[in-house]
Amino acid sequence: MKTNMHIAIDGPAGSGKSTVAKRLAQRLDMTYIDTGAMYRAVTYKAIQKGIRPGDRQGIIDTAAGIRIELKGSEILLDGADVSGNIRDPLVDARVSEAASIPEVRERLVALQRQMAQKGAVVMDGRDIGTSVLPDATFKFFLTATPEERAKRRYKDLAGSNPGMDFDMVMKDMQRRDLLDSTRGHSPLRAAEDAIIIDTTGKSIETVLQEITDIVGGAGRCFTK
Ligand code: DC
C-alpha cells in the first residue's frame, strides 16, 4: 500500500458515504477516518457540559480542550467510547451549529490532517476534497435524492429510537443540508476535480465496486 494514498469521500447525510468509505478502507487495507464523528463528538461534549445553543464561545472552548481518537469504528472522547452517543438525535439537532464555527473547523481540520500524515487513509466528510485534503489521490462526491437519503437515515435511526417519525427525519435532514451547504466556512460542495456518483437506487456493494474499479483502474497496486 502506498502510504501517501489519500481518498476523499464527501457528500450529504444519507448519501451512503460513511458505509462506503468504511468498507473501501477495509478492502484496500487503509485507515478509515470519519470526520463527521469528530464534529459530533465536539457537539456531544458541549451538550454534556450544558453549553446552550447559540453559545459560540462555549462550543469553541469545548473544541479547544477536546481529545479525540478514532480506533477502527470506535470514537474515543477524552478516552471514553462515545460511538453510540454521538448518533443521538439531540446531537443531530445541534451538530451543524458546531460545524459552522470557523475556530471549531480549524481545530478539527488540523487533527484530520495530522491523522492523514500518518499513512494511507480513506476520509469521509463534507469538505475533505475541497479543504482538508485538496491534493487527495482520489476525490469522490456521493449524492442521492432527498427522499432516498431520508429513508436510509430513518432506517438507521428507527432501531434505537422507536418514536422516530419519517417526516421529522426528512425535515431535520433538509435543515442540516441547508445549513451545511450555505455556511460561510468550507460549505458542503463537490471539489471541481471530484468524481460525482449518484447512489440513488444502488446498493452499497454496487457503489463500492464502482469506486474500487476507478481506484484500481488508475493503475495503483493494492494489497487487498
Ligand atoms: O456525516 P455526519 O452526518 O456524521 O456529519 C455530522 C455533521 O458534521 C454534519 O451536519 C456536517 C458536519 N460535518 C462537516 O461540516 N464537515 C465534515 N468534514 C464532516 C461533517
Side-chain angles (χ1 to χ4, degrees):
M1 170 58 53
K2 283 164 65 108
T3 51
N4 58 350
M5 170 73 65
H6 290 159
I7 301 179
I9 304 190
D10 290 302
S15 59
K17 65 184 186 318
S18 304
T19 315
V20 167
K22 199 181 298 172
R23 297 265 303 273
L24 184 70
Q26 277 167 357
R27 192 179 269 195
L28 302 180
D29 199 19
M30 295 168 75
T31 301
Y32 167 56
I33 299 174
D34 175 356
T35 62
M38 298 169 76
Y39 289 93
R40 287 173 178 277
V42 169
T43 308
Y44 175 68
K45 181 148 187 198
I47 294 171
Q48 292 295 95
K49 282 171 65 181
I51 307 288
R52 299 247 163 239
D55 179 356
R56 280 171 65 89
Q57 196 54 50
I59 301 174
I60 293 169
D61 294 343
T62 305
I66 210 166
R67 186 160 58 87
I68 297 175
E69 293 156 90
L70 299 180
K71 280 199 178 160
S73 54
E74 270 182 16
I75 173 143
L76 305 184
L77 174 61
D78 300 328
D81 181 6
V82 293
S83 318
N85 314 59
I86 61 165
R87 307 280 160 202
D88 192 277
L90 264 181
V91 174
D92 278 354
R94 293 193 46 192
V95 65
S96 287
E97 183 192 1
S100 72
I101 302 175
E103 290 86 342
V104 172
R105 300 200 71 82
E106 278 152 26
R107 161 100 174 113
L108 295 188
V109 168
L111 281 177
Q112 290 155 13
R113 289 189 180 138
Q114 269 173 26
M115 291 173 178
Q117 267 173 8
K118 293 193 185 141
V121 300
V122 178
M123 192 178 280
D124 88 42
R126 302 293 192 287
D127 60 338
I128 311 306
T130 53
S131 160
V132 182
L133 303 175
D135 299 323
T137 327
F138 293 96
K139 297 180 186 179
F140 296 96
F141 191 87
L142 271 47
T143 61
T145 60
E147 292 72 24
E148 173 126 351
R149 295 193 290 110
K151 270 190 212 154
R152 291 175 184 163
R153 185 87 190 115
Y154 177 72
K155 215 172 131 199
D156 279 353
L157 286 172
S160 45
N161 302 274
M164 202 39 77
D165 157 291
F166 179 77
D167 289 342
M168 253 168 58
V169 173
M170 179 84 171
K171 279 209 185 90
D172 183 63
M173 212 192 63
Q174 286 173 327
R175 183 188 60 82
R176 275 209 292 146
D177 281 356
L178 183 70
L179 289 171
D180 293 342
S181 54
T182 56
R183 67 174 176 236
H185 195 297
S186 36
L188 163 68
R189 66 178 171 81
E192 277 178 14
D193 50 350
I195 297 165
I196 297 177
I197 299 181
D198 186 348
T199 69
T200 310
K202 290 182 188 167
S203 68
I204 292 295
E205 200 50 49
T206 303
V207 179
L208 189 58
Q209 196 53 50
E210 248 178 79
I211 294 183
T212 311
D213 288 346
I214 293 168
V215 172
R220 267 81 182 178
C221 183
F222 297 106
T223 51
K224 273 188 188 172

